[in-house]
């Protein structure tokens, strides 16, 4: 369990977690609105050697972003606006998982996807800007 007190600390945690990832890794990010999921992804991308950190922002409307890595991409999705698992299948990104790294905000929304994930990050909002973050 980790506690962060700022954006930067949450980014640093994401950056450090990147060492656990390899092509085929698929992360579910769980936490309420504003918990820090996108902030964590920015750090993750940095830790993966990403050089275009400015690309990392919320895919709430576009549903999926792809950020270049030395090999392959970091795919960044957000399921907040989806209601049906069918909509996930319609995004047609499933075949990209094995050769890339995938991170999904609100990844716990569809039980059908439980077996797709290799990691789960849970962010909880505590008092005073503190985030409680568990990574596994
Ligand atoms: N310890 C912290 N770690 C991360 N963000 C923090 C922290 N404390 C405060 N914040 C603020 O919380 C917000 C987190 O925004 P972010 O977009 O990362 O959340 P999110 O979980 O992706 O939200 P959404 O569900 O809307 O996509 C930012 O405004 C940030 O400044
Ligand atoms: Mg977000």
């Amino acid at each position: 369990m980790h506690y962060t007190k700022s954006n930067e600390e949450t980014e640093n945690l994401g950056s450090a977690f990147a060492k656990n990832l390899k092509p085929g890794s698929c992360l579910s990010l769980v936490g309420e609105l504003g918990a820090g999921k996108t902030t964590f992804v920015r750090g993750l991308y940095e830790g993966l050697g990403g050089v275009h950190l400015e690309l990392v922002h919320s895919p709430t409307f576009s549903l999926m972003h792809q950020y270049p890595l030395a090999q392959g991409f970091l795919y960044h999705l957000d399921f907040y606006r989806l209601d049906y698992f069918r909509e996930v299948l319609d995004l047609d990104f499933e075949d990209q998982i094995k050769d890339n790294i995938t991170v999904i905000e609100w990844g716990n929304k569809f039980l059908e996807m439980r077996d797709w994930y290799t990691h789960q990050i849970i962010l909880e909002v505590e008092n005073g800007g503190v985030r409680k973050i568990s990574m596994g």
Side-chain angles (χ1 to χ4, degrees):
M1 195 65 69
H2 298 264
Y3 291 87
T4 66
K5 296 195 198 71
S6 65
N7 282 4
E8 195 186 11
E9 284 184 19
T10 298
E11 283 185 24
N12 289 344
L13 209 55
S15 180
F17 193 74
K19 71 172 186 307
N20 300 307
L21 306 180
K22 57 181 194 291
S25 293
C26 186
L27 284 75
S28 171
L29 259 62
V30 180
E32 64 187 75
L33 283 171
K37 300 181 293 298
T38 300
T39 303
F40 185 89
V41 174
R42 188 171 297 112
L44 200 67
Y45 182 50
E46 186 173 21
L48 289 167
V51 288
H52 298 289
L53 298 187
E54 76 284 356
L55 292 175
V56 182
H57 61 280
S58 177
T60 303
F61 293 98
S62 50
L63 299 177
M64 178 162 65
H65 291 158
Q66 80 177 30
Y67 314 129
L69 297 172
Q71 276 191 326
F73 293 94
L74 172 63
Y75 282 93
H76 181 195
L77 295 94
D78 188 323
F79 288 169
Y80 182 68
R81 303 182 73 81
L82 301 188
D83 293 316
Y84 304 102
F85 179 57
R86 178 74 244 167
E87 296 172 278
V88 174
L89 298 178
D90 286 346
L91 287 172
D92 220 13
F93 72 98
E94 198 182 340
D95 291 343
Q96 316 293 339
I97 291 177
K98 71 175 164 35
D99 296 323
N100 299 281
I101 295 173
T102 306
V103 55
I104 306 180
E105 299 190 33
W106 301 92
N108 59 336
K109 203 155 179 177
F110 304 108
L111 284 181
E112 292 91 332
M113 293 186 58
R114 251 179 324 196
D115 298 338
W116 296 24
Y117 296 118
T118 56
H119 299 85
Q120 178 169 249
I121 313 293
I122 302 173
L123 302 95
E124 294 172 75
V125 179
E126 307 266 291
N127 291 330
V130 174
R131 302 295 190 264
K132 180 178 172 185
I133 303 176
S134 79
M135 305 185 290

